[in-house]
Amino acid sequence: ASSKKQWYQRRVREIKKTGEEISGKHEDLKTLISSLSALSMTETSRKILDLKFWCNFLEILENAPAGSIDDLLSAGMNFAIGSESLKTFGVDVTSRLIEMCGERKLAAPLLNRVLEKCPNSQLAEDKGQFAALLKVIKQRPSVEDENLSTAIKLLARTTAESVQARKWVVKYKILEALMQILDENTVVKGTPKSAAAVISNSALVCGHCFLDEALCKKQEPEVVDLFLKHAKAEKGLVIQQNAAIALARLAKSSPILLERLRQTRGLEILHSRY
């Protein structure tokens, strides 16, 4: 038992020594990243190095050799498990990872894991994220693309609670991009889960934004047709409920849109299903 304790104490000292070397200005970042990748595999190492890793993550990422970036992102996937420090550094990390979506395959999975640790209120305060999100969405990837799915999931989280986030979605014309996704895609039973999530979350974000009555009154009558198409989806699909909520908010805020809903027998459809 004594030898095991001594081994553990020696191991902790070694880990702490590595922690002292964690810096984006390290003379051999390739070796440092390789060490961090190996250390990230154990819970003890992650707990000891949690603060140092995330405090220096962006600087290391900025200066890392191109061939070591995937190793760093992979280490980040592990260090994110049980991390307390991401509550402090997660917002800044999130912004950079959004920019990397499409460039690095591990960026989106790591972003998803980091988001689990970030309070929605903090995410909503970072307007730089919304410009980065628009860039991802405007690339017009397939609705099955993981980068797009992650970006819209982030929008759904922040707009659910933050008025400011909803304003930025409108300001940066993300709302228009989401409605284009809804215009070009539909969900039926058998639609791949990832694609269905993108389309359903697009409707959800729109519904959050339509809590703003002034925004609803600016919408053209055709917007009713768009969301009614999705509200008519097969019963039980998430898109149906999200589209119906968006329609209800539009109709409540605008007599013109309410009349359009009547003309298209949308009220009957909504009443028959809810």
Side-chain angles (χ1 to χ4, degrees):
S2 177
S3 61
K4 185 175 182 180
K5 182 178 180 180
Q6 289 175 352
W7 175 87
Y8 181 78
Q9 290 173 338
R10 186 170 63 252
R11 181 62 176 156
V12 168
R13 286 196 296 270
E14 291 172 355
I15 294 169
K16 287 182 176 179
K17 184 179 178 181
T18 300
E20 293 171 1
E21 299 175 355
I22 296 177
S23 167
K25 296 181 175 66
H26 193 280
E27 60 183 17
D28 187 357
L29 281 177
K30 183 177 180 180
T31 299
L32 174 63
I33 291 170
S34 180
S35 297
L36 289 172
S37 183
L39 288 168
S40 73
M41 302 300 290
T42 67
E43 184 179 359
T44 300
S45 300
R46 292 196 297 269
K47 285 183 177 179
I48 293 173
L49 300 177
D50 181 41
L51 177 59
K52 289 285 290 185
F53 179 83
W54 291 113
C55 177
N56 291 280
F57 177 80
L58 291 177
E59 188 178 25
I60 296 173
L61 181 62
E62 186 68 25
N63 296 308
S68 297
I69 290 177
D70 284 345
D71 288 339
L72 179 61
L73 296 178
S74 179
M77 290 285 290
N78 291 329
F79 273 106
I81 301 171
S83 173
E84 291 295 323
S85 299
L86 278 174
K87 293 175 183 177
T88 301
F89 299 104
V91 173
D92 291 335
V93 172
T94 295
S95 296
R96 183 66 184 98
L97 290 175
I98 291 171
E99 294 172 358
M100 293 179 70
C101 283
E103 300 173 9
R104 295 282 175 174
K105 189 174 182 180
L106 286 175
L110 177 54
L111 176 56
N112 270 319
R113 195 159 285 184
V114 171
L115 287 176
E116 295 173 1
K117 308 295 181 180
C118 295
N120 289 357
S121 57
Q122 289 183 357
L123 292 169
E125 291 170 3
D126 186 359
K127 66 179 181 181
Q129 289 188 8
F130 292 85
L133 286 168
L134 177 61
K135 183 178 179 182
V136 172
I137 294 169
K138 275 195 166 181
Q139 289 174 351
R140 302 294 303 281
S142 160
V143 288
E144 295 184 49
D145 184 85
E146 185 174 13
N147 299 324
L148 181 63
S149 177
T150 301
I152 297 178
K153 186 190 299 182
L154 173 56
L155 287 174
R157 280 189 57 185
T158 54
T159 56
E161 298 181 7
S162 170
V163 173
Q164 183 60 67
R166 297 194 283 268
K167 288 180 178 178
W168 276 326
V169 166
V170 176
K171 177 180 178 179
Y172 286 103
K173 300 188 184 301
I174 295 174
L175 184 67
E176 296 175 16
L178 296 179
M179 288 202 280
Q180 190 162 2
I181 288 173
L182 291 169
D183 184 47
E184 296 174 356
N185 299 276
T186 55
V187 179
V188 296
K189 285 182 179 177
T191 297
K193 188 176 180 180
S194 56
V198 165
I199 301 166
S200 299
N201 281 331
S202 294
L204 181 61
V205 175
C206 291
H208 293 160
C209 292
F210 292 152
L211 285 166
D212 181 350
E213 292 187 8
L215 175 64
C216 292
K217 290 175 181 176
K218 292 178 182 178
Q219 303 303 307
E220 297 295 329
E222 289 73 21
V223 74
V224 170
D225 305 341
L226 173 62
F227 285 94
L228 187 57
K229 173 183 78 169
H230 293 285
K232 290 178 179 178
E234 295 175 69
K235 197 167 185 179
L237 295 176
V238 175
I239 180 63
Q240 184 189 59
Q241 180 178 350
N242 291 349
I245 290 171
L247 275 174
R249 289 172 178 166
L250 287 165
K252 181 181 178 181
S253 301
S254 168
I256 294 174
L257 300 182
L258 175 59
E259 180 57 30
R260 179 69 165 218
L261 195 59
R262 285 199 184 100
Q263 292 173 354
T264 54
R265 300 186 65 185
L267 286 175
E268 295 176 29
I269 291 170
L270 294 183
H271 288 156
S272 68
R273 298 193 178 195
Y274 297 96

